[in-house]
Amino acid sequence: MPSLPLRRMVLTAAAGAVLLSSAWIGPSRAAEDAVVIPAPTADLPAADGTQTAVLAGGCFWGVQGVYQHTKGVLNAVSGYAGGAKETANYSASGTGATGHAESVQVTYDPKVISYGKLLQIYFSVVHDPTQLNRQGPDSGTQYRSTIFVQNDAQKKIAEAYIAQLNTAKTFKKPIATTVESGKPFFVGEEYHQDYLTLHPNQPYIVYNDAPKIEALKKIFADNYRDKPVLVRDAKATN
């Protein structure tokens, strides 16, 4: 695997140090705690065929991992959205100056899981939606909380759900998540795909991302699948 930028390596080392120092006081916890939230009052209807959702909420390793363990998801691919094709890569986006956010394109069966349910999982266990440009140890616009809507129907549902949660004061602070339209998704590097599954013992994954999978299993038991759907498996069947 190509070496990661120095900053991610430092964060991984720091996470490892935290795990070692906390070994005697109990299990590690995620950088963002999961929150039990109400389902959206408005949702898209079930339809034939497949649909896609593009979501950004911090490092794409954890976002991808959560949706790979979600029933009804057919594929979840890490990549970039928000900027130009020429800068849709890890090195350039890592500067925070490209407009890109680390994102995950979720292909799903709307007869098994709805767009609204994907958003409920997104706001509940994927990340802390009250932080705009920071998640856990990662900061910068490339880690922003953004829903890249694919059409007007998704935009309506996403904005309505944010308003619903804010009105109910579900979180201690207002939701900072932005909704962006007309921003294409670009597939990320191969070494970023299936990262959580392929590197389960990496300290960064153990500390920041693995707890999200456990939260998904606990809070959304009916939507959880133990065996993840992987990008490499999707490629093998195409």
Side-chain angles (χ1 to χ4, degrees), residues 71-158:
K71 290 180 182 177
V73 170
L74 306 175
N75 201 6
V77 181
S78 290
Y80 311 92
K85 180 179 180 180
E86 293 73 22
T87 56
N89 60 74
Y90 195 59
S91 178
S93 68
T95 67
T98 66
H100 280 298
E102 292 192 10
S103 307
V104 173
Q105 182 185 66
V106 180
T107 303
Y108 65 99
D109 182 347
K111 288 187 175 180
V112 179
I113 190 167
S114 70
Y115 182 68
K117 179 61 70 174
L118 292 176
L119 293 185
Q120 187 182 11
I121 291 170
Y122 170 75
F123 287 120
S124 174
V125 304
V126 166
H127 76 314
D128 178 356
T130 68
Q131 297 191 88
L132 178 59
N133 295 320
R134 183 181 190 89
Q135 293 297 320
D138 302 313
S139 63
T141 58
Q142 69 271 35
Y143 298 111
R144 68 184 182 274
S145 174
T146 297
I147 302 170
F148 292 98
V149 294
Q150 304 301 292
N151 49 54
D152 289 341
Q154 285 190 1
K155 184 174 185 291
K156 182 177 180 180
I157 296 302

Side-chain angles (χ1 to χ4, degrees), residues 10-236:
V10 170
L11 292 174
T12 297
V18 171
L19 286 178
L20 289 173
S21 65
S22 64
W24 298 103
I25 60 176
S28 63
R29 59 180 291 278
E32 308 88 32
D33 289 325
V35 179
V36 177
I37 64 175
T41 55
D43 204 345
L44 296 180
D48 293 329
T50 60
Q51 302 289 331
T52 60
V54 177
L55 304 165
C59 174
F60 43 24
W61 296 342
V63 181
Q64 182 189 47
V66 168
Y67 287 112
Q68 288 182 322
H69 280 278
T70 301
K71 290 180 182 177
V73 170
L74 306 175
N75 201 6
V77 181
S78 290
Y80 311 92
K85 180 179 180 180
E86 293 73 22
T87 56
N89 60 74
Y90 195 59
S91 178
S93 68
T95 67
T98 66
H100 280 298
E102 292 192 10
S103 307
V104 173
Q105 182 185 66
V106 180
T107 303
Y108 65 99
D109 182 347
K111 288 187 175 180
V112 179
I113 190 167
S114 70
Y115 182 68
K117 179 61 70 174
L118 292 176
L119 293 185
Q120 187 182 11
I121 291 170
Y122 170 75
F123 287 120
S124 174
V125 304
V126 166
H127 76 314
D128 178 356
T130 68
Q131 297 191 88
L132 178 59
N133 295 320
R134 183 181 190 89
Q135 293 297 320
D138 302 313
S139 63
T141 58
Q142 69 271 35
Y143 298 111
R144 68 184 182 274
S145 174
T146 297
I147 302 170
F148 292 98
V149 294
Q150 304 301 292
N151 49 54
D152 289 341
Q154 285 190 1
K155 184 174 185 291
K156 182 177 180 180
I157 296 302
E159 291 179 340
Y161 195 23
I162 291 173
Q164 173 191 334
L165 295 176
N166 278 333
T167 299
K169 299 186 184 306
T170 303
F171 296 91
K172 294 181 180 179
K173 296 185 293 184
I175 290 175
T177 306
T178 61
V179 177
E180 299 184 27
S181 304
K183 304 292 181 64
F185 172 83
F186 302 97
V187 176
E189 296 85 350
E190 185 173 355
Y191 65 90
H192 283 304
Q193 308 303 335
D194 305 331
Y195 199 90
L196 185 148
T197 297
L198 296 176
H199 305 278
N201 298 318
Q202 189 194 80
Y204 182 96
I205 295 295
V206 172
Y207 185 72
N208 294 290
D209 295 334
K212 298 178 182 181
I213 308 302
E214 290 304 310
L216 176 71
K217 182 178 181 180
K218 179 179 180 180
I219 299 174
F220 296 94
D222 291 342
N223 303 107
Y224 173 80
R225 66 140 82 45
D226 186 57
K227 182 179 179 181
V229 54
L230 301 178
V231 173
R232 62 183 181 184
D233 293 338
K235 288 182 178 179

